[in-house]
Amino acid sequence: MRITLQNRTFSEICIGDTASLTRTLTREDAEVFAIMSSDHNPTHLDDAWAAKLLKNGKVSGHSMWAGSLFSSLLGNELPGPGTVYREQTLRFLRAVELGDTLTLTLTATEKREDEHIIVFHCQGVNQRHEMVVEGYATVEAPIEKVTVSADPLPEITVRRRSHVFSRLLETTQATEPVKVAVCHPCDEVSLTGAMDAARHGVITPVLVGPSKRIRSIAREFGINIDGCRIIDTEHSHASASTAVGLCRTGECEALMKGSLHTDELMHEVAKGDTGLRTGRRISHVYIIDTPAYPKPLFITDAAINIYPSLQDKADICQNAIDLVRIMGVEQPLVAILSAVETVYPKITSTIEAAALCKMADRGQIRGGILDGPLAFDNAISSEAARIKNISSPVAGNADILLVPDLEAGNMLAKQLCYLAEAEAAGVVLGARVPIILTSRADSAKARLASCVVAARYAQARRTGKQKLVTGVG
């Protein structure tokens, strides 16, 4: 709907004429104002800081938020289009708390013919009829009558990037860091990722690789590796073998990929005699942090199993359920994805989805609630599920997305990252220890989140809270 604005010219305005508007301050208003003004005073944005620093102990809006509403009154209504601001004075008498409703009023008090100047008294009162802001605005009023018709302004949506990872890092309560074999950290990204996690108290890194090269990288990029144990190896193949060996003997509780290729590391992991295989299929889980979804979204498997069989999918599903339960979700909701939400014999993934649900009914997959086949839209959107008449505890609220194959999962995860501003952490499960797979494209927060997730998983194994992890015992 187009917006129509009509001004009032200098000659049409009389002393005593008024205009008013009413607006309620929301948290989103405060956040948008902070973004537009670059005023990040935490008393306007953070409950804890407001309680610490303000007398009223509550988040209060920016004082100039109220001031800006006078500007909107002047520009939109009185005098309206064509108004030129000359001067503004304001006294702020009370804080505007979140949820307060202000009524702001302009009253014409003086007119000057020579420059078509009008002075307005400005006042704003809250819902308790308390004066909050008061002052005077001096403007040059328009002399030509105009009616303006325009499209509405673009909509603004407040999106909180890294809201999942930030909460994850804040709530990590490690009794002690997890010892991690960092395999071949021979570039800035991989060495920085490991040392950032160490600095946060998440891991104790054991650096496995050519020691001279690791120390050279540390010096070149100013990375502090003082006190770190370094196991010298000749090349990346030896690094992979040695790092896997540290995990196989129990000296390390997790494995972290450095600057070598994923295939090279996983080849050592998958060896039957010297690797880290268990009775469970090895699989990868992406932990997706996207502003468009209110909680973590776990996508599996998008990195290890290319065309998994039905039994592979059962293991992949169980690996993900075990992880999400460790992350604090008592009964994860698993959406088994396909192109459609009905069983269709010509689409194999729909038949396998139905079979997985029945396997869960019979106790072959434990700890989660499964539903499928579900298309992506009705897996994560309750509105899409409602439109298609899908009644399910999973539809619209999924924790885990079990994809049909690696291609679908990889494309889905990368689409979320590059089109929906998501960040993705990653961990490999089903081996004797969790494996942290990071990419050069990962943000520092995503790399740290990967370490946190793996550390939690390793701690759960250490304390015996997760007995399904290895598939043995």
Side-chain angles (χ1 to χ4, degrees):
M1 180 181 292
R2 292 177 69 80
I3 297 171
T4 300
L5 301 175
Q6 187 176 70
N7 68 2
R8 296 175 64 182
T9 64
F10 179 83
S11 61
E12 291 177 320
I13 297 172
C14 300
I15 301 299
D17 285 354
T18 66
S20 298
L21 68 78
T22 299
R23 177 73 71 85
T24 299
L25 177 66
T26 66
R27 188 175 291 273
E28 287 73 22
D29 287 328
E31 291 171 337
V32 170
F33 196 91
I35 294 167
M36 296 300 296
S37 64
S38 297
D39 182 348
H40 302 292
N41 184 337
T43 59
H44 304 312
L45 305 167
D46 186 276
D47 294 307
W49 277 109
K52 183 177 180 180
L53 298 176
L54 297 181
K55 290 181 179 179
N56 63 1
K58 298 179 181 179
V59 168
S60 299
H62 301 74
S63 296
M64 284 308 298
W65 173 79
S68 70
L69 297 179
F70 289 121
S71 177
S72 68
L73 262 177
L74 292 164
N76 294 338
E77 190 168 344
L78 184 68
T83 299
V84 178
Y85 236 137
R86 287 292 186 87
E87 186 178 341
Q88 178 75 65
T89 63
L90 292 172
R91 291 191 307 136
F92 300 100
L93 307 175
R94 285 179 174 80
V96 183
E97 298 173 3
L98 296 183
D100 277 357
T101 299
L102 295 192
T103 298
L104 299 108
T105 303
L106 298 174
T107 304
T109 61
E110 182 184 347
K111 294 182 68 176
R112 304 174 194 161
E113 291 281 353
D114 55 341
E115 293 184 87
H116 306 108
I117 295 296
I118 301 180
V119 179
F120 291 93
H121 180 234
C122 309
Q123 63 179 18
V125 298
N126 62 21
Q127 70 275 19
R128 295 179 292 275
H129 306 291
E130 299 168 331
M131 187 70 71
V132 172
V133 57
E134 185 179 28
Y136 288 90
T138 302
V139 303
E140 181 182 336
I143 58 175
E144 179 183 352
K145 188 75 174 178
V146 296
T147 299
V148 178
S149 180
D151 290 327
L153 293 172
E155 293 183 358
I156 295 177
T157 300
V158 178
R159 290 188 165 188
R160 296 169 180 83
R161 295 203 67 180
S162 300
H163 65 114
V164 169
F165 288 171
S166 295
R167 288 199 301 268
L168 175 63
L169 301 180
E170 288 169 4
T171 58
T172 297
Q173 299 292 332
T175 54
E176 60 180 278
V178 169
K179 187 178 287 188
V180 176
V182 184
C183 183
H184 212 70
C186 294
D187 64 5
E188 180 191 7
V189 171
S190 58
L191 188 56
T192 299
M195 299 316 299
D196 278 349
R199 182 168 50 84
H200 281 82
V202 177
I203 71 171
T204 298
V206 177
L207 307 179
V208 182
S211 60
K212 289 184 179 179
R213 190 170 170 191
I214 292 172
R215 295 184 192 281
S216 174
I217 293 291
R219 284 193 301 271
E220 180 180 354
F221 296 101
I223 304 168
N224 184 3
I225 60 172
D226 292 346
C228 277
R229 181 185 174 194
I230 300 177
I231 298 179
D232 187 35
T233 59
E234 191 175 354
H235 42 61
S236 58
H237 298 297
S239 299
S241 176
T242 302
V244 167
L246 290 172
C247 295
R248 184 176 176 87
T249 61
E251 185 173 348
C252 290
E253 296 176 275
L255 177 63
M256 184 174 185
K257 172 183 170 290
S259 57
L260 75 173
H261 197 279
T262 298
D263 288 347
E264 190 174 3
L265 178 63
M266 294 309 298
H267 175 75
E268 291 295 329
V269 169
K271 284 184 176 180
D273 53 346
T274 59
L276 301 174
R277 296 288 294 271
T278 69
R280 183 79 63 79
R281 184 77 179 182
I282 291 174
S283 62
H284 180 272
V285 179
Y286 271 123
I287 303 92
I288 301 291
D289 179 346
T290 175
Y293 206 63
K295 59 182 180 178
L297 195 57
F298 298 82
I299 297 178
T300 190
D301 175 0
I304 300 294
N305 296 282
I306 300 174
Y307 298 114
S309 66
L310 177 60
Q311 184 56 56
D312 293 339
K313 288 183 178 181
D315 281 353
I316 291 167
C317 184
Q318 190 67 68
N319 286 341
I321 290 172
D322 291 349
L323 174 65
V324 177
R325 292 186 66 185
I326 288 171
M327 302 304 295
V329 180
E330 185 175 348
Q331 199 168 35
L333 305 178
V334 184
I336 308 167
L337 296 188
S338 185
V340 295
E341 60 277 347
T342 55
V343 176
Y344 186 55
K346 291 185 178 181
I347 303 178
T348 304
S349 60
T350 68
I351 299 173
E352 291 183 341
L356 289 167
C357 291
K358 181 53 65 177
M359 291 171 76
D361 290 343
R362 299 290 168 84
Q364 293 172 268
I365 301 172
R366 301 191 295 277
I369 299 174
L370 279 63
D371 194 11
L374 290 172
F376 177 75
D377 56 348
N378 44 61
I380 54 92
S381 168
S382 55
E383 178 64 13
R386 184 191 64 79
I387 290 171
K388 294 197 174 181
N389 296 315
I390 299 173
S391 178
S392 160
V394 176
N397 195 33
D399 296 299
I400 298 169
L401 301 180
L402 180 62
V403 298
D405 55 44
L406 182 146
E407 290 176 307
N410 194 271
M411 285 187 280
L412 173 58
K414 288 180 179 176
Q415 284 166 353
L416 290 172
C417 290
Y418 287 94
L419 295 179
E421 300 180 350
E423 292 185 285
V427 62
V428 171
L429 308 173
R432 294 191 182 200
V433 300
I435 303 168
I436 304 160
L437 292 184
T438 56
S439 164
R440 292 186 63 86
D442 290 345
S443 70
K445 189 161 286 187
R447 291 195 297 270
L448 183 55
S450 297
C451 293
V452 172
V453 171
R456 282 196 178 185
Y457 195 88
Q459 289 159 5
R461 287 195 60 217
R462 180 198 298 165
T463 58
K465 292 181 179 178
Q466 184 52 270
K467 296 182 180 179
L468 298 178
V469 198
T470 63
V472 294

